[in-house]
Amino acid sequence: MAVGTERAAASADDVWVPRPWVVRSATREIGDTVTLEIEPRDASAARPVAPGQFMMLYIFGVGEVPISVSGTGPTSGLLHTVRDVGAVTHALCNLGVGDVLGARGPFGSAWPIDEHKGCDVVIAAGGIGLAPLRPVVRHVLERRGEYDDVVVLYGSRQPDQLLYTPEFERWRAAGIQVEVTVDHADQTWDGHIGVVPTLVRHARFQVDEAAAFLCGPEVMMRFMAQELVDRGVVPERIHLSLERNMKCAVGMCGRCQLGPEFLCLDGPVFPWTRVERLMAVPEL
Amino acid sequence: MKDIGQMVAEHPFFEGLAAEHATLIAGCGGLAVYDPGAYLARAGSPAEHFFLIRHGKVALEVRPPGQDTFILDSVSAGEMMGWAWLYEPYVWQFDARAMDLVRVIEFDGACLRGKCEADPALGYDLMKRFARVMVQRFVDTRLQLMDVYGSRD
């Protein structure tokens, strides 16, 4: 796919230049995962961010990685939940309050939440995939009356790897059905055991009126989307967030290309119907 | 209160079941309640029943020698648990523990096998229902084995 004029216009701004942002708080969520609240040192560097978009976070001298926005902080800061899996994320996870990092963005497509007002909403996440979806949950919480039944289906490998668990009770208190599962557990766990798609079978929602938002390991999303379709959810109402090796974030380098799609620019949020076939191609 | 025939007919596992088959199956069933922590089945013991879960959650467990008990799967309200009664040697492979208060319809396996032998249409219907659940759990287990939450998630 050629880079069109819209894309060129989008990249004509200062999107290539990381701006200095300051860490306002760093909260260890679980063993290897930290949530950073960051604010631009110069307020003019701040841009409106929509749920689902990501920022490129830069540790000087180490490198740059795409990290989804996982919420907004108490003031004007952005929250990013980072899992320590490589050199850059390791450095990010070890930042402290007052430290400076580079940031550019936001980039990418957003969750089409407003398009589904009045619908039931299914939010399904695996592992750190809950981070890009937490803004959707918060969006729905703030506008609870605009949506019908809301279901959060979340899973991880084991109980101590579940994110944001302190927030679950608040979500439930607002009438959101929160179902949590883990792949493995000992007898101290009293929740579900099994993979995330099995939770669909326990969730209460109107399939013909539901919109679904998925994020997690790709294989989990494939099975989850299929489970939802099998249950009767309209495929066009299923949306998912894909992440590959994003580098430039503006659709120029091709590192994150999935067939004709640039995930950084056309995504990361896609309708299931647009990427279903592509996700089944091993070479991609 | 509903009778067992109604409960059987309304349980998702038996969705669409013919009325005459519901009556036959219900004749082998009874209601049971298990307190939290009670065992519905023990690995190595005779598998004489299967269960339709009406309320609560059941953990399927294994305890490897010298290690803590490990939960393999959970089965919740609206689901079926137990197929060891269908095949010789009719022995449970895993423990099944009530994770909370569990209400079930408990079916006598020998009773049901006898009715299936006598009525092949009932037997075929029942086997299709069990096969569907077995395949689904097989797929779920394969996905679980992939350990998708590795370093790439």
Side-chain angles (χ1 to χ4, degrees), chain A residues 122-181:
Chain A
V122 178
I123 297 163
I128 200 166
L130 187 57
L133 281 167
R134 186 170 64 166
V136 176
V137 180
R138 290 182 169 184
H139 180 95
V140 170
L141 277 175
E142 290 163 6
R143 300 160 185 81
R144 191 63 194 90
E146 296 178 8
Y147 298 89
D148 210 336
D149 287 337
V150 180
V151 180
V152 173
L153 309 175
Y154 177 48
S156 192
R157 180 188 283 144
Q158 54 202 50
D160 63 0
Q161 293 179 3
L162 291 165
L163 281 177
Y164 309 140
T165 50
E167 294 189 43
F168 293 173
E169 280 314 307
R170 190 157 51 84
W171 299 354
R172 288 186 176 114
I176 293 179
Q177 187 187 160
V178 182
E179 298 285 347
V180 180
T181 189

Side-chain angles (χ1 to χ4, degrees), chain B residues 23-76:
Chain B
T23 304
L24 285 170
I25 290 168
C28 295
L31 299 180
V33 178
Y34 291 86
D35 290 327
Y39 283 85
L40 287 75
R42 282 288 202 176
S45 64
E48 294 165 342
H49 299 93
F50 83 93
F51 305 88
L52 293 187
I53 315 292
R54 298 174 52 232
H55 175 86
K57 201 156 59 251
V58 176
L60 303 182
E61 302 176 339
V62 63
R63 182 162 191 172
Q67 296 179 39
D68 290 336
T69 298
F70 189 79
I71 308 178
L72 301 161
D73 197 0
S74 60
V75 185
S76 304

Side-chain angles (χ1 to χ4, degrees), chain A residues 83 85 126-128 155-157 183-187 189-198 201-202 217 219-220 223 227, chain B residues 39 57 61 68-77 79 97 99-100 136 139-140 143-144 146-153:
Chain A
R83 185 174 171 202
V85 291
I128 200 166
S156 192
R157 180 188 283 144
D183 279 5
H184 311 290
D186 61 23
Q187 286 187 313
W189 173 251
D190 62 359
H192 293 285
I193 303 284
V195 292
V196 182
T198 63
R201 299 164 211 161
H202 307 295
V219 67
M220 182 221 89
F223 278 84
E227 188 81 35
Chain B
Y39 283 85
K57 201 156 59 251
E61 302 176 339
D68 290 336
T69 298
F70 189 79
I71 308 178
L72 301 161
D73 197 0
S74 60
V75 185
S76 304
E79 296 183 296
R97 176 181 55 86
M99 300 176 84
D100 44 22
Q136 187 60 67
V139 170
D140 295 342
L143 189 54
Q144 207 170 356
M146 289 173 70
D147 193 21
V148 296
Y149 303 113
S151 58
R152 288 173 297 166
D153 74 351

Side-chain angles (χ1 to χ4, degrees), chain A residues 5 7 23 25 27 34 44 46 54 69 110 124-125 131 180 182 240 256-257 268 277:
Chain A
T5 51
R7 288 174 177 171
V23 176
S25 69
T27 306
V34 169
S44 68
F54 67 95
V69 175
V180 180
V182 294
L240 48 84
C256 65
Q257 205 166 345
R277 185 184 57 80

